[in-house]
Amino acid sequence: MASSQKLLTDEEEVLAVNRTFYTALHTLDMSLMAQVWSHEDWVKCLHPGWDLLLGWDEVQGSWEEIFRSTDQMMVSISRPLVHVARDVAWISCLENVTTAYHNDFSSALVEATNIFQRCQGRWLLVHHHTTPLAQPPPDANAPVQ
Amino acid sequence: MASSQKLLTDEEEVLAVNRTFYTALHTLDMSLMAQVWSHEDWVKCLHPGWDLLLGWDEVQGSWEEIFRSTDQMMVSISRPLVHVARDVAWISCLENVTTAYHNDFSSALVEATNIFQRCQGRWLLVHHHTTPLAQPPPDANAPVQ
């Protein structure tokens, strides 16, 4: 039992860091975002519609750019699936993202893979890969615009 | 030096399994595909345009369906970036995929994250996440079809 309890604790720790990452996104908090990421030059990030970013400098710059051009972001996550393998863990989750910018807004359902590595007892995000999913077709009974 | 040499060897091993995965894809070889994947019920796979698949049974079924409906697939990968953390490793790479099916074909540039776990000395694929990238706009000087 001790072993499975320990695994459960690791999973809960990783899920908590994952929630903190989405809190940083939701609140456009660059300081919090910097806390959850590893600052290594090999971390990677794929934002929807972007090319792959390599290294903390590029990743940090991308969040700064996204936060600058965003008035408000609402993010809720669902179906987090976590797997821990000693000091590496990864989570698959669905992001429900609504973004307000330039007097307009967009909504997206995004499948994410987030990889975390435990460094000196702290789980840090080292890889963030997102895929916008196809939206369900609009309600056929809805009035035509 | 011994440590970095060992890491390099791990990286080469993971890159080799990654190549084998794409060989299985290219040759539509279900037996080879089954060899490179872990058969655990927590492995995950996101094909372009699909929802997330969970567990080897679902993943295996998806490859069987893809291979059944595909006449030929050409896959080349570029820019493989590998990171090894003891018994877990992940690769980011670009897939150049051309698929022939039903007297038609399609081409796609896909960003992939592949996570591998070392089980009893063998690196096995445990997570495959793909994102089709936006294609460059067609040549403006090309004749209109």
Side-chain angles (χ1 to χ4, degrees):
Chain A
M1 277 308 286
S3 170
S4 66
Q5 279 173 358
K6 182 67 177 71
L7 275 173
L8 187 62
T9 302
D10 282 349
E11 289 170 346
E12 286 171 345
E13 282 179 8
V14 176
L15 286 166
V17 178
N18 196 56
R19 282 193 297 273
T20 304
F21 165 65
Y22 286 105
T23 299
L25 193 55
H26 179 70
T27 57
L28 310 179
D29 185 335
M30 195 60 224
S31 169
L32 192 58
M33 185 60 83
Q35 287 176 40
V36 298
W37 274 88
S38 163
H39 295 190
E40 299 287 344
D41 60 4
W42 48 262
V43 302
K44 295 175 215 68
C45 181
L46 184 74
H47 298 296
W50 294 53
D51 285 334
L52 186 74
L53 303 171
L54 175 62
W56 171 242
D57 287 351
E58 283 193 15
V59 173
Q60 181 181 35
S62 73
W63 289 119
E64 287 171 347
E65 187 176 332
I66 290 168
F67 289 179
R68 244 195 324 267
S69 61
T70 304
D71 294 328
Q72 196 178 359
M73 193 181 293
M74 283 165 286
V75 187
S76 64
I77 64 162
S78 55
R79 199 259 283 132
L81 299 170
V82 59
H83 187 81
V84 177
R86 199 190 289 247
D87 291 325
V88 178
W90 52 100
I91 288 178
S92 294
C93 60
L94 279 170
E95 306 173 352
N96 297 272
V97 187
T98 301
T99 309
Y101 55 98
H102 302 149
N103 300 320
D104 200 359
F105 76 95
S106 69
S107 291
L109 185 63
V110 176
E111 181 71 51
T113 294
N114 298 325
I115 307 177
F116 301 85
Q117 192 165 2
R118 181 157 44 194
C119 308
Q120 299 179 311
R122 287 180 59 214
W123 290 102
L124 296 171
L125 187 55
V126 295
H127 190 96
H128 175 57
H129 180 158
T130 55
T131 303
L133 300 180
Q135 298 290 317
D139 184 350
N141 296 321
V144 176
Q145 298 295 311
Chain B
M1 279 307 288
S3 171
S4 64
Q5 280 175 358
K6 182 69 176 70
L7 276 172
L8 187 61
T9 302
D10 283 349
E11 289 171 345
E12 287 171 344
E13 282 179 8
V14 175
L15 286 165
V17 178
N18 197 58
R19 283 193 297 273
T20 304
F21 166 65
Y22 286 105
T23 299
L25 193 56
H26 179 71
T27 57
L28 309 179
D29 185 335
M30 195 59 226
S31 168
L32 192 59
M33 185 61 82
Q35 287 175 41
V36 298
W37 274 87
S38 162
H39 294 189
E40 298 287 343
D41 61 4
W42 48 261
V43 302
K44 295 175 214 67
C45 180
L46 184 74
H47 299 296
W50 293 53
D51 286 333
L52 186 73
L53 302 172
L54 175 62
W56 171 240
D57 285 351
E58 283 192 15
V59 173
Q60 180 182 35
S62 73
W63 289 120
E64 287 171 346
E65 187 177 332
I66 289 167
F67 288 0
R68 245 196 322 267
S69 61
T70 304
D71 292 331
Q72 196 178 359
M73 192 180 293
M74 282 166 286
V75 188
S76 63
I77 65 163
S78 55
R79 200 258 286 133
L81 299 170
V82 60
H83 187 81
V84 178
R86 200 191 286 247
D87 291 324
V88 178
W90 53 98
I91 288 178
S92 293
C93 60
L94 280 169
E95 307 173 351
N96 298 271
V97 187
T98 301
T99 310
Y101 55 98
H102 302 150
N103 299 319
D104 199 359
F105 76 94
S106 68
S107 290
L109 185 62
V110 176
E111 182 70 52
T113 294
N114 299 324
I115 306 177
F116 301 85
Q117 193 165 0
R118 182 159 42 195
C119 307
Q120 298 178 313
R122 287 182 59 216
W123 289 103
L124 295 172
L125 188 56
V126 295
H127 191 95
H128 175 57
H129 181 158
T130 55
T131 303
L133 300 181
Q135 296 290 315
D139 184 349
N141 295 320
V144 176
Q145 297 294 310

